């Protein structure tokens, strides 16, 4: 889980009008900016170079950059985000990714795929089928990564919004899992850190080099991750949780 770069994007004022299924209320814009800045600080503390993209008011959800691309050591995949209001975000990301990658593949219609539905664990990918990622998009993604000797398993979701809403890979054959993923045979071969329903939001955490960044306010999850040997940084994510977003959604890591 070694990364040297991340891409993030400042939330615009329109962020407060973005998509959500939660009933946690409307985000406070100033607080959103503060939490975003703290996120960037935490990434820098973990030793990565941060590329900060300017805000795009036309795309309220564009700060959730993870959904627009999947980045690996060898190649990039530009996604085809499944929400109509978000699909154009990928077009803004293409020139940015071209600055880092020579080999770029694209998901196309009728396929849809959000990066939040893609989890990489070493040379294995898991692709969630969700309200945002359809079978055609998942198959296209699988065919792309298989050309590079990766394997990919398609995982239809039952309840989670995105695949990575409920699962994170920490390296060392270890997964953080919640809800429907706890007993899922696809993940049976991993050492699992099981997150209770009450702390489910903490399953969306990210390991950056030696550190695991987790949302603040989930003491059991934090304890489990630290007991497994990872130092943690806990961040207040309240304004992102209001828009169905988590820690992984806010960056592309490579
Ligand atoms: C959306 O509905 O698309 C955004 N409000 C939240 C996206 C969260 N992204 C992610 O889980 N990768």
């Amino acid at each position: 889980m070694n990364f040297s770069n991340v891409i993030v994007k400042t939330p615009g004022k329109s962020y407060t009008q973005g998509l959500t299924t939660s009933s946690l209320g409307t985000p406070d814009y100033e607080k959103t900016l503060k939490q975003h800045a703290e996120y960037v600080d935490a990434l820098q503390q973990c030793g990565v170079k941060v590329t900060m993209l300017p805000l795009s008011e036309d795309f309220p959800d564009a700060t959730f950059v993870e959904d627009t691309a999947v980045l690996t050591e060898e190649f990039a995949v530009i996604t085809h985000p499944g929400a109509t209001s978000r699909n154009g975000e990928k077009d803004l990301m293409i020139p940015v990714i071209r600055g880092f990658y020579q080999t770029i593949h694209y998901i196309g219609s009728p396929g849809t795929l959000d990066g939040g539905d893609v989890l990489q664990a070493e040379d294995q990918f898991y692709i969630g089928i969700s309200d945002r990622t359809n079978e055609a998009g998942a198959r296209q993604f699988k065919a792309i990564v298989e050309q590079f000797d990766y394997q990919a398993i398609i995982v239809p979701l039952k309840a989670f919004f995105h695949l990575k809403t409920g699962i994170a890979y920490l390296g060392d054959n270890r997964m953080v899992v919640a809800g429907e993923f706890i007993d899922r045979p696809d993940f049976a071969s991993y050492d699992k850190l099981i997150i209770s329903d009450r702390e489910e939001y903490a399953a969306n955490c990210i390991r950056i080099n030696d550190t695991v960044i987790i949302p603040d306010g989930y003491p059991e999850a934090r304890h489990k991750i630290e007991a497994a040997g990872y130092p943690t940084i806990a961040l207040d994510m309240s304004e992102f949780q209001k828009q169905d977003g988590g820690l992984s959604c806010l960056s592309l890591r490579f």
Side-chain angles (χ1 to χ4, degrees), residues 143-203:
I144 293 166
V145 301
E146 284 174 351
Q147 290 173 41
F148 294 89
D149 290 335
Y150 288 87
Q151 281 106 54
I153 293 175
I154 295 176
V155 183
L157 305 191
K158 295 186 187 123
F160 278 123
F161 176 63
H162 277 134
L163 180 78
K164 276 183 288 191
T165 311
I167 189 163
Y169 181 61
L170 296 186
D172 317 313
N173 200 47
R174 191 171 278 128
M175 292 278 188
V176 176
V177 287
E180 64 189 77
F181 300 134
I182 295 171
D183 296 320
R184 194 111 184 186
D186 298 314
F187 306 114
S189 66
Y190 294 95
D191 294 331
K192 286 183 268 186
L193 301 184
I194 294 175
I195 306 298
S196 65
D197 288 352
R198 201 163 37 85
E199 296 209 352
E200 184 182 286
Y201 182 69

Side-chain angles (χ1 to χ4, degrees), residues 15 18-21 61 64 66-67 83 86 114-117 132 161-162 164-165 204 240 243-246 248-250:
Y15 173 72
L19 300 174
T20 189
T21 60
D61 287 295
F64 299 117
E66 175 181 70
D67 293 318
R86 298 200 59 192
D114 277 15
D117 280 318
R132 299 293 175 81
F161 176 63
H162 277 134
K164 276 183 288 191
T165 311
N204 182 273
F240 298 109
Q243 306 298 71
D244 291 335
S248 74
C249 320
L250 290 175

